[in-house]
Amino acid sequence: MAERGETEPMAEHGNETTAKRAEPAYGGTRQTRTGALGRSLTREESYVDGHLTRTAFMSIAILTFITFVGNFTQLQLSAALPTIVSEFGISVTTGQWLTSIFQLVMGVMVPLTAFLTRRFSTRQIVITSMLVFTVGSLLAWVGSSFLVVLLGRLLEAIGTGVMWPVLQITVFSIYPLSRRGMAMGTVGMAMSVAPAIGPTIGGWQTDANGWRSIFLTLTAIGVVSLLLAVFGLRNFGEHDPDARADFFSVGLSVIGFGGLMFGFTNIEAYPFTHPMVWGAVLIGLVGIVWFVMRQAHGARAFNAAKAANTANTANTDATAIAADPARTDRKPVNPPLLDLGVLRNRSFTVGTICAALSFFAFSSIMVIMPLYIQNDRGYSATISGLVMMPGAFGMCISQFFGGKLLDRLGARPVAITGTGILLFGTIMMSLIDRDTWIWWVSIWQFVRQIGMGFIIMPITTWSLNCLDHSEVSAGSAVTNTVRQIAGAIGAPVLVILMETLMQLHGGNKIDASIFGTQWTLRVSAFLVFVQMLIVIFGVKGAGAGSSHEAAQKAVAHFREAHAARSSTRIVH
């Protein structure tokens, strides 16, 4: 199957005139500046002579910072939960909703991003998101009851839930195909650091000034982010103010994805036989199946209406149009809320499956290993955090270099290397026992996350590269939705597996727990092996998205154009 992304030529870089046009002067009136900020920058105005223009760089930096804040916020409160539980006199299970609400809301928000980016401009989405985030942080800061604090966290999650897809779409709208790996690897570095430092800084703030100081800081960060978005962010890509959402599909997505993630989140607090688990999962599955069927029907109707409109336009009498320029025979049509048609692209589907398997295995390890360190080995939560922290920095480094290698070598060799490193690191980590040197875990977690960095960002970038430019928004929404679901399901499913293995082992509780952890890690290694096979047999293409391949196609395109011009001159 020919991949559309592999035929995309390298973007032309433009000349000095383009460069000047890309750097608008802001010394004029307020109206001129407002108009300049509201106008969408084209790729030629954003990326000139192999570099971002100043205005495009500022916008990417602002979007990266705001997305970093969202990832940072998601886990920052974990160290403060015991204090909050004690102050409000609530159960630990109830208190954990302050962290799990983020994953739940993001799982619901991501499917909406394709519509939001089609309907609203970049500035409208980001400014509104930061306003909601700031209000939520303020509520959580001053909230006198747990419900008010939880409402604040809900608003924070809504405000940051769409930022990562928006950043992805913006990067793809600015950078040519041959430089997207480097760009996504660079912004991915910030995303990797945020989960590592969030709990550490949150714990330090709680010990020094109480848990409310966390929300005071987030309120200030929200205000700064809002000001940056208002005065420094530019629009990218086109949007359609007349686009309309299928609100019934919106409701189905909330029920489906929300119910599924709610049910799996509750596994940690209830047995699977409890209605809070199986009931929520069942409702979620019914909602998702209904949602998928409605999207498929909507896609068929949209394509049929588009074809009919094209035929009507071709058959419209030219004299009638000249007499009445306002006349149109086109009926307004809107695409489905989530365009699942992108899954027909084989490479995109392969990349999405690989990313889902990575998140499934990764999220479970991040839950299981702290249990081993604290419960089985008796170390403190602080030591547990320190043991796991180096892995985040390993992933940060490998994402950057993985993106650069993607541009140079293509996705196939980078992803095969990443899955090999991840598989080896997972197998070595499964050798733990009750006397293992504790930093053995840190070493192999570092190795594992280096492998993850070579997989997630390069394979996601390559899969989106294989879509048409007009499909990137829908593709980003689909792949991020699948990743969120895989991440939410991974941890509780493998924790249940670990507990089942513990019961089968019997005997000493610690020995049983270590046995369960060992074999859960081996199951995770098997999933990585399956992922490696998918990469080996599924990531195809000469170069699979490398800059060398793109350059070859650009040269071939130039030669064809030159030959066509030469033949025209000969004829004349």
Side-chain angles (χ1 to χ4, degrees):
M1 177 177 178
E3 306 304 345
R4 287 171 286 186
E6 294 174 0
T7 61
E8 181 179 340
M10 292 179 67
E12 297 179 359
H13 291 158
N15 50 29
E16 293 183 6
T17 303
T18 305
K20 291 178 181 178
R21 188 170 64 248
E23 301 288 349
Y26 287 146
T29 64
R30 177 186 297 269
Q31 184 177 3
T32 302
R33 178 179 174 84
T34 302
L37 286 172
R39 185 177 65 84
S40 294
L41 290 182
T42 64
R43 178 177 294 180
E44 290 73 20
E45 294 174 313
S46 305
Y47 194 83
V48 179
D49 295 330
H51 300 284
L52 287 178
T53 60
R54 178 177 58 85
T55 49
F57 175 80
M58 286 179 57
S59 294
I60 287 290
I62 291 169
L63 286 174
T64 302
F65 172 73
I66 292 174
T67 308
F68 169 85
V69 169
N71 281 23
F72 177 81
T73 305
Q74 183 174 359
L75 296 174
Q76 191 186 14
L77 207 62
S78 57
L81 284 181
T83 306
I84 296 175
V85 166
S86 176
E87 179 171 329
F88 288 112
I90 56 178
S91 67
V92 174
T93 302
T94 302
Q96 284 178 340
W97 274 104
L98 291 174
T99 55
S100 58
I101 194 73
F102 252 86
Q103 194 171 42
L104 181 62
V105 172
M106 289 179 72
V108 171
M109 289 294 294
V110 168
L112 304 181
T113 55
F115 164 72
L116 293 175
T117 53
R118 185 171 68 247
R119 171 66 175 80
F120 301 102
S121 69
T122 309
R123 282 173 52 81
Q124 288 173 329
I125 294 172
V126 176
I127 290 173
T128 302
S129 295
M130 283 302 94
L131 186 60
V132 172
F133 174 85
T134 304
V135 171
S137 299
L138 181 63
L139 276 178
W141 174 30
V142 302
S144 58
S145 68
F146 176 76
L147 287 179
V148 175
V149 177
L150 185 62
L151 175 61
R153 289 289 285 177
L154 175 67
L155 293 177
E156 284 183 339
I158 292 173
T160 58
V162 299
M163 291 310 305
W164 175 238
V166 169
L167 177 58
Q168 277 186 320
I169 294 166
T170 303
V171 167
F172 273 73
S173 70
I174 291 177
Y175 284 89
L177 181 148
S178 60
R179 293 293 179 267
R180 290 175 186 168
M182 178 274 297
M184 290 296 290
T186 301
V187 300
M189 290 176 64
M191 302 309 103
S192 299
V193 172
I197 65 175
T200 304
I201 294 179
W204 172 76
Q205 284 185 284
T206 302
D207 292 338
N209 299 300
W211 64 269
R212 291 186 186 273
S213 64
I214 295 176
F215 293 110
L216 171 60
T217 304
L218 292 177
T219 302
I221 292 175
V223 171
V224 171
S225 300
L226 183 60
L227 293 175
L228 287 173
V230 169
F231 295 107
L233 183 64
R234 297 296 299 269
N235 284 325
F236 297 94
E238 301 299 325
H239 70 284
D240 180 11
D242 296 324
R244 295 291 180 267
D246 177 3
F247 287 103
F248 189 75
S249 291
V250 172
L252 287 177
S253 71
V254 171
I255 293 171
F257 297 108
L260 186 68
M261 298 183 74
F262 179 80
F264 276 100
T265 301
N266 282 337
I267 287 179
E268 298 178 16
Y270 303 97
F272 192 80
T273 54
H274 196 283
M276 289 287 286
V277 178
W278 69 262
V281 170
L282 179 62
I283 292 172
L285 289 175
V286 170
I288 289 176
V289 171
W290 195 349
F291 176 81
V292 169
M293 293 175 61
R294 187 173 178 85
Q295 300 319 294
H297 175 75
R300 288 194 295 269
F302 172 72
N303 292 330
K306 189 164 62 172
N309 283 339
T310 302
N312 288 340
T313 301
N315 295 329
T316 299
D317 182 64
T319 305
I321 292 179
D324 183 9
R327 173 181 172 176
T328 176
D329 293 324
R330 296 193 174 201
K331 298 178 181 179
V333 290
N334 286 298
L337 183 68
L338 192 63
D339 185 6
L340 300 176
V342 293
L343 292 172
R344 288 194 293 266
N345 184 301
R346 175 181 171 277
S347 293
F348 174 77
T349 302
V350 167
T352 301
I353 292 172
C354 284
L357 284 173
S358 295
F359 269 73
F360 185 93
F362 177 73
S363 62
S364 61
I365 301 300
M366 296 303 290
V367 172
I368 290 170
M369 294 318 297
L371 292 175
Y372 164 78
I373 295 168
Q374 295 177 53
N375 296 346
D376 300 338
R377 302 299 304 278
Y379 289 96
S380 66
T382 302
I383 294 296
S384 176
L386 290 174
V387 167
M388 301 296 287
M389 182 182 291
F393 292 101
M395 187 170 174
C396 170
I397 295 168
S398 62
Q399 278 195 335
F400 176 73
F401 287 105
K404 294 179 74 69
L405 289 172
L406 169 67
D407 292 336
R408 183 176 296 274
L409 304 175
R412 182 181 174 85
V414 178
I416 290 175
T417 302
T419 50
I421 293 173
L422 180 59
L423 178 60
F424 180 66
T426 307
I427 292 173
M428 296 304 291
M429 187 180 282
S430 71
L431 301 178
I432 56 172
D433 57 35
R434 64 161 57 227
D435 299 316
T436 301
W437 182 43
I438 196 62
W439 296 104
W440 174 273
V441 176
S442 187
I443 292 169
W444 294 112
Q445 180 65 4
F446 181 80
V447 172
R448 288 185 74 258
Q449 292 197 239
I450 285 178
M452 286 287 293
F454 279 124
I455 299 171
I456 292 180
M457 201 61 69
I459 207 74
T460 300
T461 304
W462 167 75
S463 66
L464 290 174
N465 280 344
C466 294
L467 298 175
D468 285 338
H469 180 72
S470 60
E471 296 176 320
V472 169
S473 177
S476 176
V478 170
T479 192
N480 280 291
T481 299
V482 173
R483 282 163 54 168
Q484 284 291 333
I485 293 174
I489 292 175
V493 166
L494 290 189
V495 166
I496 289 176
L497 173 63
M498 184 181 71
E499 292 174 347
T500 303
L501 291 169
M502 289 170 58
Q503 293 175 2
L504 291 175
H505 181 276
N508 182 276
K509 183 177 180 180
I510 293 180
D511 289 338
S513 178
I514 293 175
F515 172 81
T517 302
Q518 290 171 337
W519 280 98
T520 302
L521 286 167
R522 289 161 189 164
V523 170
S524 181
F526 175 75
L527 293 176
V528 176
F529 177 72
V530 172
Q531 184 182 26
M532 177 181 282
L533 295 178
I534 293 174
V535 170
I536 291 173
F537 295 106
V539 179
K540 302 285 187 178
S546 68
S547 58
H548 174 70
E549 178 198 20
Q552 285 183 323
K553 292 184 181 297
V555 170
H557 179 74
F558 173 78
R559 287 175 177 172
E560 290 175 2
H562 180 71
R565 287 195 297 268
S566 299
S567 62
T568 303
R569 284 198 297 268
I570 292 173
V571 170
H572 288 292

